[in-house]
Amino acid sequence: MEFYEAVEKRRTVRDFTEKRVPDEILNRILEAGLKAPSHDHARDWHFVVLRRPERIAEILRHVAGGAEVQTDIINHWNTATECQKSMYYDALPKQVKMLSQSRCLVLPLFRAGADLMTPRDISSLNSFASVWCLIQNILLAATAEHLACSLRIPIRDEESYVLQCVHAPEGYRMPCYLAVGYAAPDAKIIRQTELSVAERIHAESW
Ligand SMILES: Cc1cc2nc3c(=O)[nH]c(=O)nc-3n(C[C@H](O)[C@H](O)[C@H](O)COP(=O)(O)O)c2cc1C
């Protein structure tokens, strides 16, 4: 698939089939991730790949399910657009399902800088910024392989639980859970807010 086509086609998918993602395709996608730019030229990144449904369920034990949908709160966000609201209505009840349904859950791990959580300046966040470059490469590579992805950011005690569960070495962090799989034929794709480049470019000065 041509690069701009992959950029255009990459969308968050939260409904998957159970069709197995072949190892060789998954490896290619993760390899694309490992080619991403990194702040220290170290690329200190690893992946824990989970395939077994019972292991995935164990890892997702602390992820809240559909009962946590707080639609009334979303409705009261007066800053949220209809586009954003429809995303949250779709996404919130699907968090566990979207990460387990494809039976291919990838946990990207990165070695965090010592001052990540107490940043002195923007560069303290470099290890975190770099791992998001890796994640974007994976999302685009998956699209080019006709696969789909969804991701979730761990909140509260989810991350520490997962890191302990997978025996991550000291100093490693998990920026997100990443599900890779084949989109269900009726997968819901939320409309993206359309942006105009012309309105966002500020020649010489804003
Ligand atoms: C930093 C970041 C955090 C996100 N967190 C979540 C999340 O916790 N759960 C979820 O379902 N989607 C999450 N998403 C996916 C976004 O909801 C999605 O990218 C956005 O709605 C735009 O849709 P698109 O990816 O189809 O363009 C996240 C995306 C990013 C980049």
Side-chain angles (χ1 to χ4, degrees), residues 2-206:
E2 197 256 331
F3 175 74
Y4 286 101
E5 191 186 347
V7 170
E8 199 62 41
K9 286 201 168 143
R10 182 222 55 81
R11 298 304 315 280
T12 295
V13 166
R14 299 185 177 90
D15 308 286
F16 295 95
T17 68
E18 290 180 5
K19 183 178 165 187
R20 185 181 167 88
V21 176
D23 284 334
E24 63 273 21
I25 298 183
L26 182 65
N27 289 353
R28 272 206 299 275
I29 294 169
L30 300 183
E31 206 172 332
L34 294 175
K35 297 264 161 65
S38 84
H39 66 297
D40 57 358
H41 210 54
R43 296 185 166 85
D44 207 339
W45 303 319
H46 292 257
F47 305 105
V48 175
V49 177
L50 307 159
R51 296 275 204 176
R52 287 192 296 116
E54 59 279 16
R55 179 68 172 143
I56 292 173
E58 184 185 6
I59 289 296
L60 299 180
R61 190 173 293 153
H62 288 222
V63 179
E68 212 195 38
V69 187
Q70 293 166 319
T71 47
D72 51 332
I73 294 179
I74 300 170
N75 279 331
H76 285 94
W77 286 350
N78 39 25
T79 51
T81 63
E82 283 312 309
C83 214
Q84 287 174 305
K85 283 181 186 173
S86 53
M87 185 277 286
Y88 283 109
Y89 286 137
D90 185 62
L92 288 176
K94 290 183 180 168
Q95 296 298 289
V96 173
K97 189 200 79 164
M98 74 183 193
L99 298 174
S100 42
Q101 203 167 30
S102 71
R103 301 176 174 186
C104 183
L105 182 64
V106 176
L107 310 176
L109 304 182
F110 72 106
R111 198 156 58 82
D115 51 356
L116 180 67
M117 303 309 275
T118 49
R120 277 169 293 110
D121 53 31
I122 204 103
S123 83
S124 304
L125 306 174
N126 278 350
S127 60
F128 188 56
S130 296
V131 80
W132 276 98
C133 295
L134 165 139
I135 293 162
Q136 176 66 344
N137 269 18
I138 293 173
L139 299 180
L140 291 175
T143 308
E145 298 281 0
H146 305 282
L147 285 160
C149 298
S150 59
L151 60 87
R152 171 185 171 81
I153 311 301
I155 55 171
R156 298 192 274 270
D157 55 355
E158 286 176 40
E159 188 200 2
S160 54
Y161 166 74
V162 173
L163 292 172
Q164 192 189 24
C165 224
V166 302
H167 307 297
E170 187 70 30
Y172 281 81
R173 303 291 304 258
M174 180 184 78
C176 67
Y177 311 82
L178 182 64
V180 180
Y182 291 93
D186 59 349
K188 179 148 181 149
I189 308 289
I190 307 294
R191 191 172 60 82
Q192 265 185 344
T193 307
E194 277 169 36
L195 300 179
S196 139
V197 178
E199 285 172 14
R200 296 296 173 110
I201 292 180
H202 309 279
E204 314 300 341
S205 168
W206 191 327

